[in-house]
Amino acid sequence: MAAKRPILWNSKDSERYRADAERAVAGMAARRDGVHTAGNLDETWRRLGPAERLMMEYLLLIGSPTVVSLHNDGFLDAVVDKGLLQKPIGVASVFLNYHDTTYDVPPAVWSALNANRARFLPDSPAELDRLRTAARARLKDQIRVFEPPAGSSGT
């Protein structure tokens, strides 16, 4: 007579496995959406270099969460590393190295930036125009951004 085989999987293991899987999926979604970065936005903002801050202010000013750039120049690498921009998912590094690529501000970060525009942008219209002009001049060779027509609120 054959010995009874031990049960390796039971309902307790199944519940724990399901809870771990759901927690992992929620964590991946939070990372993809930039929830952690949005929660630490003030700290991240303080660590930005002048050109990085100018670019993020420019995106917020014109209301565009997407920027196009050539990956090879490395200009956006630090901003991606800080979680303020994301590379497109599923694009091979060979493509990134030789072609212009879109980078997006994660949704939670974009919402946090827009909800706190007054903290990240100047108050006066003259300062906003100065920022827009300075950003265009400084960033014109490094990034491309769709800028809505004049008179648009940028939000």
Side-chain angles (χ1 to χ4, degrees):
M1 181 164 164
K4 188 171 183 182
R5 292 166 54 180
I7 297 173
L8 300 176
W9 192 259
N10 58 39
S11 61
K12 187 177 179 182
D13 291 336
S14 178
E15 289 172 18
R16 189 176 65 244
Y17 174 80
R18 188 173 303 121
D20 289 348
E22 288 172 359
R23 219 178 359 266
V25 168
M28 287 188 319
R31 277 191 299 281
R32 180 195 65 228
D33 292 342
V35 172
H36 178 73
T37 304
N40 295 320
L41 197 54
D42 289 328
E43 174 62 29
T44 304
W45 200 261
R46 280 192 290 275
R47 293 185 296 127
L48 291 176
E52 297 164 349
R53 180 174 289 135
L54 181 64
M55 186 199 62
M56 293 305 296
E57 288 171 342
Y58 183 53
L59 294 178
L60 183 59
L61 175 65
I62 65 171
S64 177
T66 303
V67 60
V68 177
S69 180
L70 184 62
H71 176 71
N72 261 355
D73 69 9
F75 176 67
L76 299 179
D77 289 348
V79 184
V80 170
D81 290 343
K82 290 174 179 126
L84 295 174
L85 286 178
Q86 293 177 335
K87 295 177 189 177
I89 295 171
V91 176
S93 59
V94 171
F95 181 87
L96 286 173
N97 288 333
Y98 298 104
H99 302 283
D100 284 348
T101 305
T102 60
Y103 294 80
D104 294 308
V105 178
V109 174
W110 188 246
S111 295
L113 285 169
N114 278 295
N116 298 290
R117 288 175 70 85
R119 285 195 351 233
F120 301 113
L121 292 176
D123 291 334
S124 74
E127 280 297 306
L128 290 172
D129 283 341
R130 185 202 58 74
L131 174 66
R132 185 186 307 252
T133 302
R136 282 183 187 147
R138 167 68 175 83
L139 303 171
K140 69 179 175 168
D141 295 328
Q142 294 171 306
I143 64 170
R144 288 194 315 274
V145 180
F146 170 73
E147 188 169 338
S152 172
S153 67
T155 56

